[in-house]
Amino acid sequence: MLRGQMMDRPLLTTSILRHAALYHGSTAVTSRFGQEPKHSYTYRDAWDRVQQLANVLTRLGIKAGSRVGTLAWNDFRHFELYYAVPAIAAVCHTVNPRLFPEQLIYIINHAQDEYLFVDPMFVPLIEKLWPNLNGVKGVVVMTSPDFMPKQTGLPNLLCYETLMAEAAEGFEFPEFDENTACGLCYTSGTTGNPKGVLYSHRSAVLHAYGFLTAPGISVTTSDAALVVVPLFHANAWGYPYAAAIAGAKLVFPGPKLDGKSVYELMEEEQVTVSSGVPTVWLGLLAHMRQSGAKFSTLKSVTVGGSAMPKAMLEEFELTHGVTCMQGWGMTEMSPVGTIGALNPEQQKLPVAEQHEAKLKAGRALFGVEMKIIGPDGSEQPRDGESYGELVVRGPWITSGYYNDEAANRGAFTEDGWFRTGDVATIDETGAMAIVDRAKDVIKSGGEWISSIDLENAAMGFEGVQEAAVIGVPHPKWQERPLLVVVPRTGASIGKAELMAYLERHVAKWWLPDDIVFVDDLPHSATGKLLKVELRRRFANHPLPGIQAAE
């Protein structure tokens, strides 16, 4: 075999920020965070501070392969850690601070974090966890001296900005194998311990390239991207890397993600593009309705993490003129796998048909291979009707969970494809649609009912803010759907009128056996519906006319 004669240069995340500093050096990175004043600097400034931070990490004794944990929201300091830690061949372990204490203890100990970098509001949390943390040498509070905790029981508590002020400028970053680990993120599974996904420099750079090729995601040198997705979750969907490559302005919102705060930040920073989970966009749209506000610069939003309600799509596009798309991915996929942008033929369709097409998760990015398989492992037809388990493979998809052989068992097919746990269809255009999570699909009388489709139908009813569908035990049909609804503020909804609406939009045998109205729905730390909690809460819900099965 004749080898090509091209330079063999490693794909390292360090090179991304260096490129941004050289060629997009004056582009802004802005942050709004807690009590601190609003912060703004440039990619060139960020590059200089990342070099200082590398000196800090080296002085703390962080070496190649060391794990450095972060418990922090989205701001410039967390962004700096994204680059400085991997640049010295260490691993940036982003920890979800919303997890249960037992999960946090497991994650930090399992990863063997040597230092924790935390926002000030998480110091009390770390104090509670500290007696059970093994091997953590110290805690760095990501703030300035003025905002450091006045009292703490933590030993070796350090101040980020004090360390930075004492650090030398400039750093000679090493070059190393591109397959070196750069990031670690644990999935917050509903059963068993969380599972670690260990990203490499190569996978992070390739994922950023793939992200930038995604049709409809406008991240260019002319754009301002609001990073709503937490930096502690699946690489913030790739924005910290992709935006820097493209030279797009980055806007970090800190912890304030209510509708009013998100809207005000979008207007202040002239945001053009953003991505987030449905709960964030539901809050934003509710604020827009209540205040009568309009977007002046926002061009497009991407919805991921959970299925995009049709009502949300229509409100963004028809009311506000903002392009809205669905994306799909997983922590194990770095995470982006598909984008639901329309192809040229679909763009010629009537708006109603375009919206139906956009409700699918979309086509795979180049770099992601996907197929659906039946129970025997055989590939199912791409006809939009045949469904099966969705499996994927590619250079930014995990090859195994970190130090967890038990989790790896059953996670892959015999020929190496990753089992996503989703039930899906793929149509003739290659567009994938999630039918349901395998554990959420409702099995009624031998037939499947998609909780996602039923939820989307309910969301189309005027006055419904959010909806969730779960299966409730039934003595005859095995399971029947229960619809749980959060009404919009001030709305009055009756069961009968909502059921009459659903009768016009879903098959009769899909209709929920009951509807329950609640003030709010439980969500995971990343904004996904916690159906496991709903199933627990309504396990013994008595369906009309029968006694729920024990």
Side-chain angles (χ1 to χ4, degrees):
M1 186 180 296
L2 183 64
R3 288 179 61 88
Q5 294 179 290
M6 307 303 291
M7 293 184 182
D8 186 12
R9 303 290 298 142
L11 299 175
L12 303 178
T13 59
T14 321
S15 62
I16 293 176
L17 193 59
R18 180 188 289 116
H19 172 87
L22 287 171
Y23 300 106
H24 309 294
S26 61
T27 299
V29 178
T30 66
S31 300
R32 179 187 62 190
F33 189 81
Q35 297 178 333
E36 294 193 31
K38 186 176 175 181
H39 182 274
S40 183
Y41 65 176
T42 66
Y43 279 124
R44 189 177 296 115
D45 298 328
W47 175 242
D48 290 342
R49 278 178 56 93
V50 163
Q51 293 176 75
Q52 281 184 279
L53 184 53
N55 283 312
V56 168
L57 295 168
T58 302
R59 183 179 171 186
L60 291 175
I62 302 299
K63 299 180 175 61
S66 296
R67 271 76 74 198
V68 176
T70 69
L71 285 88
W73 297 104
N74 292 15
D75 81 333
F76 70 100
R77 296 186 184 100
H78 206 172
F79 177 70
E80 291 166 1
L81 285 161
Y82 252 66
Y83 281 98
V85 175
I88 62 171
V91 180
C92 183
H93 173 208
T94 55
V95 182
N96 185 339
R98 293 170 171 169
L99 296 177
F100 296 120
E102 294 79 10
Q103 292 175 312
L104 290 172
I105 291 168
Y106 173 82
I107 286 171
I108 293 168
N109 287 337
H110 187 267
Q112 296 180 302
D113 291 330
E114 296 183 17
Y115 273 86
L116 298 178
F117 282 69
V118 306
D119 283 337
M121 69 275 290
F122 297 128
V123 170
L125 172 62
I126 299 302
E127 287 175 334
K128 294 177 182 177
L129 303 181
W130 188 257
N132 297 295
L133 299 183
N134 306 322
V136 178
K137 299 174 182 176
V139 177
V140 180
V141 185
M142 297 165 64
T143 190
S144 62
D146 292 342
F147 296 96
M148 282 291 289
K150 302 305 179 185
Q151 293 181 330
T152 179
L154 291 174
N156 197 17
L157 191 69
L158 303 170
C159 175
Y160 188 100
E161 291 301 336
T162 299
L163 293 172
M164 291 289 281
E166 297 170 350
E169 297 181 356
F171 191 91
E172 193 65 35
F173 288 112
E175 285 196 355
F176 40 81
D177 190 308
E178 63 185 15
N179 290 298
T180 300
C182 75
L184 177 61
C185 183
Y186 282 72
T187 64
S188 52
T190 55
T191 58
N193 289 320
K195 296 168 288 189
V197 180
L198 191 62
Y199 308 109
S200 68
H201 283 261
R202 179 175 184 267
S203 71
V205 173
L206 290 177
H207 179 268
Y209 278 143
F211 180 101
L212 290 169
T213 68
I217 290 187
S218 177
V219 181
T220 70
T221 189
S222 302
D223 286 296
L226 175 62
V227 187
V228 169
V229 182
L231 287 168
F232 59 69
H233 176 58
N235 302 314
W237 295 3
Y239 274 98
Y241 301 130
I245 290 174
K249 176 181 177 179
L250 274 171
V251 181
F252 292 115
K256 295 181 67 175
L257 294 178
D258 61 279
K260 184 175 184 290
S261 297
V262 170
Y263 173 74
E264 289 176 349
L265 190 58
M266 283 180 164
E267 293 301 302
E268 289 171 11
E269 299 299 330
Q270 298 184 301
V271 168
T272 60
V273 61
S274 188
S275 300
V277 295
T279 48
V280 172
W281 301 138
L282 287 170
L284 175 62
L285 291 172
H287 170 73
M288 304 298 283
R289 287 192 301 272
Q290 294 160 12
S291 66
K294 301 295 181 184
F295 297 113
S296 62
T297 58
L298 186 64
K299 296 188 302 184
S300 68
V301 295
T302 307
V303 183
S306 298
M308 173 174 65
K310 186 177 181 181
M312 178 185 295
L313 168 64
E314 292 175 340
E315 191 165 359
F316 266 122
E317 297 206 340
L318 301 182
T319 303
H320 299 290
V322 173
T323 300
C324 186
M325 294 174 298
Q326 184 156 226
W328 171 85
M330 302 179 70
T331 301
E332 292 90 340
M333 298 175 65
S334 297
V336 183
T338 69
I339 292 293
L342 301 178
N343 63 28
E345 292 75 19
Q346 291 170 323
Q347 292 171 17
K348 300 173 186 176
L349 296 172
V351 172
E353 293 181 38
Q354 289 185 28
H355 285 175
E356 287 300 323
K358 279 192 169 188
L359 292 177
K360 293 187 175 183
R363 285 171 283 278
L365 306 188
F366 176 73
V368 175
E369 297 177 71
M370 64 183 187
K371 64 181 180 179
I372 52 174
I373 60 174
D376 62 353
S378 62
E379 183 172 1
Q380 301 301 294
R382 295 184 172 225
D383 56 13
E385 299 292 335
S386 304
Y387 57 81
E389 181 185 5
L390 180 65
V391 296
V392 294
R393 67 181 181 185
W396 61 74
I397 296 169
T398 187
S399 62
Y401 293 108
Y402 174 63
N403 194 24
D404 196 338
E405 287 306 312
N408 288 331
R409 287 194 291 271
F412 299 86
T413 64
E414 290 185 1
D415 53 350
W417 293 69
F418 175 70
R419 295 182 178 273
T420 67
D422 284 323
V423 178
T425 63
I426 301 177
D427 68 18
E428 297 86 348
T429 72
M432 183 267 290
I434 300 293
V435 175
D436 220 331
R437 291 290 293 169
K439 62 179 179 294
D440 291 336
V441 70
I442 298 166
K443 304 172 183 67
S444 181
E447 300 289 344
W448 283 9
I449 298 174
S450 168
S451 67
I452 292 174
D453 288 347
L454 192 47
E455 287 161 1
N456 280 337
M459 287 287 292
F461 184 74
E462 183 69 27
V464 172
Q465 172 71 11
E466 196 172 7
V469 173
I470 58 171
V472 174
H474 191 285
K476 179 178 180 181
W477 303 111
Q478 184 182 356
E479 285 185 317
R480 289 298 299 160
L482 173 69
L483 174 59
V484 187
V485 170
V486 178
R488 288 182 182 176
T489 302
S492 178
I493 309 174
K495 287 186 183 182
E497 58 180 327
L498 179 51
M499 193 70 79
Y501 172 84
L502 291 173
E503 286 176 353
R504 302 195 300 271
H505 291 83
V506 301
K508 185 175 181 179
W509 62 277
W510 275 35
L511 290 172
D513 278 28
D514 199 8
I515 301 174
V516 177
F517 296 98
V518 296
D519 293 332
D520 53 55
L521 294 173
H523 293 91
S524 73
T526 54
K528 297 180 181 180
L529 277 171
L530 276 176
K531 290 195 174 180
V532 65
E533 171 60 21
L534 285 177
R535 283 192 287 268
R536 184 196 64 77
R537 188 183 303 176
F538 293 101
N540 297 310
H541 180 79
L543 296 174
I546 66 162
Q547 179 65 40
E550 294 297 329

